[in-house]
Amino acid sequence: MKKRLRDNVSSRYVEAANLLKPKGAQRRVVAYVESYDDVSFWRSVLDDFETPGLRFSVMLPSRTTLGRGKKNVLANELGQYMIACVDADYDYLLQGQGETSRLMLGCPYVFHTYVYAIESYQCYAEGLREACVMATLNDNVPLDLAAFMREFSRIIWPLLVWNVWCYRNGKQHGFSLMDFTNVVTFRDVSPQHPEKTLDFVRRQVNRSVAAMQRKHPEGKKTYVPLRDELGRLGLTAETAYMYMQGHRLMEGVVLPLVEPVCAQLRREREGEIKRLACHDTQRQNELSCYRRSQTPVDLMLKKSTAFKRSAPYQRLARDLAEFVGSLTPTPATPSEDQP
């Protein structure tokens, strides 16, 4: 296949294209992301940093193949006018242990989420109530969803530290990310008795922590220092859930939590319509109207921007603000009548 010049885009290519624009025209910065789902998320993030003189073009990592993922993104020739926007995964917590972690943390043109993945932001505890209300059009949420997630996070925190310890010490085959998520996920939550689910997770975690302590007695000296280091990286007991695998957090924790709540809210609203309707025709019309107005809660979670209030996102926002502030102004192209 014959390749064109634009198939080999680099930061210098984009910079040269910016130089050809008239004075005062918008400069363009290419932002490569990992997958289709990431386009919408990073578009919503980068929108906040565009100016009349600067715009971001969010793109997939290759024009010539269907290759996706972090490695494909990082393989591009990054620079001042070409950046990478990626999930942190565990590469952030590994702090340079491994090639991908070193590249992600060492390159000033790579911006990462500071939490495991974009789903971690979509599952931000403080945005769950709003998502349920928008999905059901009923504000009578029967459960403090944010409080549930904070308590869940405190419960899983000790085991998360052990999981990171395993990856830091090359023992992840004995206790992988999948093993960790299998311990802490669940099927559903009763809105009337959420404590039953929390107690279940607590028992699971306590058994696993005890097993890790028996299996790795050498961790006794390094566990607490690692826990303290993770705290300095921004992890806290109340935000540990944001460092779970993103899709497992969504499918194994947050959706089992919010879907029963939404089901109850919909039943409550439909019961109110049936009770207040003056006749059968009005009841059918109101029910039909209400059902058409509902939205799946997982879609509302994906659209939520509540995560922008979170501490990890604030760190990402500061990085992007510093980057935008550091961009070298593009000089005007000399006109023909200039000497």
Side-chain angles (χ1 to χ4, degrees):
M1 181 184 295
K2 184 177 180 181
K3 290 189 176 182
R4 296 167 294 183
L5 179 60
R6 68 178 184 178
D7 291 333
N8 298 286
V9 178
S10 66
S11 178
R12 295 179 63 185
Y13 175 96
V14 180
E15 181 179 12
N18 285 330
L19 286 169
L20 295 175
K21 295 180 180 180
K23 183 177 180 181
Q26 274 191 327
R27 288 172 293 164
R28 174 175 173 253
V29 174
V30 170
Y32 280 130
V33 300
E34 297 180 56
S35 69
Y36 300 110
D37 290 340
D38 292 30
V39 173
S40 176
F41 172 81
W42 285 104
R43 177 72 269 162
S44 73
V45 170
L46 295 173
D47 272 344
D48 294 342
F49 299 93
E50 291 191 335
T51 68
L54 175 69
R55 70 179 178 90
F56 291 94
S57 293
V58 181
M59 300 172 60
L60 295 173
S62 175
R63 288 171 173 264
T64 58
T65 73
L66 294 176
R68 303 287 179 264
K70 182 184 290 186
K71 289 186 178 180
N72 283 300
V73 173
L74 299 181
N76 285 283
E77 296 182 38
L78 306 177
Q80 194 174 37
Y81 291 95
M82 179 175 289
I83 64 175
C85 297
V86 298
D87 290 339
D89 301 318
Y90 259 17
D91 292 317
Y92 173 53
L93 305 184
L94 292 179
Q95 287 294 291
Q97 292 188 17
E99 181 181 356
T100 303
S101 179
R102 286 192 295 272
L103 181 56
M104 188 185 83
L105 299 178
C107 178
Y109 305 113
V110 177
F111 298 89
H112 65 86
T113 52
Y114 282 104
V115 293
Y116 194 92
I118 64 172
E119 291 94 343
S120 308
Y121 282 133
Q122 294 165 356
C123 294
Y124 180 51
E126 303 300 327
L128 299 185
R129 178 188 176 89
E130 179 184 8
C132 289
V133 172
M134 293 174 66
T136 65
L137 307 178
N138 186 346
D139 196 27
N140 191 30
V141 180
L143 174 63
D144 189 336
L145 299 169
F148 179 97
M149 291 300 298
R150 287 192 294 270
E151 182 60 21
F152 168 80
S153 194
R154 285 190 287 264
I155 291 170
I156 71 170
W157 168 240
L159 192 58
L160 173 69
V161 177
W162 269 114
N163 193 225
V164 177
W165 184 92
C166 288
Y167 277 83
R168 287 279 193 101
N169 290 277
K171 301 179 184 296
Q172 63 269 26
H173 297 296
F175 188 55
S176 66
L177 268 167
M178 183 66 71
D179 296 328
F180 169 70
T181 54
N182 285 341
V183 172
V184 303
T185 52
F186 46 83
R187 290 190 179 91
D188 56 34
V189 178
S190 166
Q192 287 72 38
H193 298 286
E195 71 281 357
K196 292 183 178 180
T197 299
L198 292 174
D199 288 342
F200 166 78
V201 175
R202 186 179 290 108
R203 290 192 299 271
Q204 294 281 95
V205 168
N206 287 343
R207 281 197 293 267
S208 293
V209 168
M212 294 300 294
Q213 290 171 338
R214 290 192 301 269
K215 186 176 181 180
H216 300 292
E218 71 275 18
K220 185 175 181 180
K221 293 183 178 179
T222 54
Y223 178 91
V224 172
L226 174 60
R227 184 188 63 193
D228 295 342
E229 180 188 345
L230 295 179
R232 291 190 293 273
L233 293 177
L235 281 74
T236 68
E238 292 191 349
T239 60
Y241 71 94
M242 300 184 79
Y243 298 86
M244 292 175 56
Q245 280 182 309
H247 69 282
R248 296 298 299 277
L249 171 64
M250 177 71 80
E251 296 169 4
V253 177
V254 170
L255 288 180
L257 171 64
V258 299
E259 285 181 338
V261 170
C262 288
Q264 179 173 323
L265 292 173
R266 291 186 177 107
R267 288 194 301 269
E268 180 182 279
R269 179 66 75 207
E270 290 188 2
E272 180 183 66
I273 292 172
K274 293 174 182 177
R275 186 176 67 254
L276 297 177
C278 297
H279 47 76
D280 184 65
T281 300
Q282 184 183 41
R283 183 179 72 251
Q284 293 300 327
N285 288 342
E286 288 295 323
L287 285 173
S288 178
C289 180
Y290 174 61
R291 289 166 182 167
R292 286 198 304 269
S293 301
Q294 296 175 30
T295 308
V297 68
D298 59 334
L299 180 59
M300 289 296 98
L301 290 171
K302 291 180 179 180
K303 290 184 175 182
S304 174
T305 58
F307 66 86
K308 292 187 178 182
R309 304 194 298 268
S310 69
Y313 178 77
Q314 293 303 315
R315 296 186 68 180
L316 170 60
R318 285 194 295 271
D319 290 347
L320 287 168
E322 290 176 5
F323 167 73
V324 169
S326 71
L327 285 176
T328 304
T330 305
T333 304
S335 60
E336 294 181 359
D337 57 348
Q338 287 180 324

